[in-house]
Amino acid sequence: MSANALQRAVVARLVADPDVLAIIGAGRIFDRQITRAEPPYLVLGQATTSEFSTGDADGSEHRFEIEAWTKQNGRRQAVELADAVRAALHDADLTLVGAVLINLRHERTVSRRAPRTALHVARLRFRAVTEP
């Protein structure tokens, strides 16, 4: 399925990106919220896949979120991490196994302080189109 191939390629790009790693370090990208993990780290958030075929080609549209969680330096570090993620992924030419990435675009970033915690989170939303 192209959604899984896209996720693998996104994670591979992020773990290889020096700007992202400079902020979070190695082994700090999770596919779910880890309550015991010490920030900063990234969490793969909500993802949806929709039919996006044209008259002559099959396709899928993917919308997915990546959450940048930080504690030190508050919102500033969350935004710096989000900027590094956006730079690594926006218009990236990723290689997918079993599918072709047509485009990958950053749509928006929303940052906030997590209620009842000292944590800040910046939630990035991306849109990708793939073909088989």
Side-chain angles (χ1 to χ4, degrees), residues 30-31 43-47 64-67:
F30 306 108
D31 65 355
V43 175
L44 304 178
Q46 181 176 341
F64 64 93
E65 294 179 350
I66 298 174
E67 299 172 351

Side-chain angles (χ1 to χ4, degrees), residues 13-26:
R13 173 60 56 97
L14 293 174
V15 300
D17 187 85
D19 294 331
V20 172
L21 289 180
I23 298 171
I24 65 172

Side-chain angles (χ1 to χ4, degrees), residues 56-72:
D56 59 348
D58 292 336
S60 297
E61 177 185 54
H62 310 270
R63 293 186 188 270
F64 64 93
E65 294 179 350
I66 298 174
E67 299 172 351
W69 288 87
T70 63
K71 187 174 188 178
Q72 294 180 335

Side-chain angles (χ1 to χ4, degrees), residues 25-107:
R28 311 289 295 157
I29 301 174
F30 306 108
D31 65 355
R32 60 183 163 56
Q33 184 70 39
I34 308 292
T35 57
R36 296 174 310 279
E38 189 64 28
Y41 54 81
L42 297 174
V43 175
L44 304 178
Q46 181 176 341
T48 60
T49 300
S50 304
E51 176 69 22
F52 199 71
S53 298
T54 62
D56 59 348
D58 292 336
S60 297
E61 177 185 54
H62 310 270
R63 293 186 188 270
F64 64 93
E65 294 179 350
I66 298 174
E67 299 172 351
W69 288 87
T70 63
K71 187 174 188 178
Q72 294 180 335
N73 300 319
R75 182 180 171 277
R76 187 182 99 212
Q77 187 182 40
V79 170
E80 287 173 355
L81 179 51
D83 286 347
V85 169
R86 187 199 64 74
L89 296 179
H90 182 76
D91 276 339
D93 184 19
L94 304 180
T95 301
L96 279 59
V97 175
V100 176
L101 179 64
I102 304 304
N103 67 28
L104 174 57
R105 309 280 299 172
H106 172 258
E107 290 188 327

Side-chain angles (χ1 to χ4, degrees), residues 1-13 49 62 94-101 130-131:
M1 176 177 237
S2 59
N4 290 334
L6 177 61
Q7 179 177 314
R8 283 190 299 273
V10 163
V11 170
R13 173 60 56 97
T49 300
H62 310 270
L94 304 180
T95 301
L96 279 59
V97 175
V100 176
L101 179 64
T130 60
E131 292 180 348

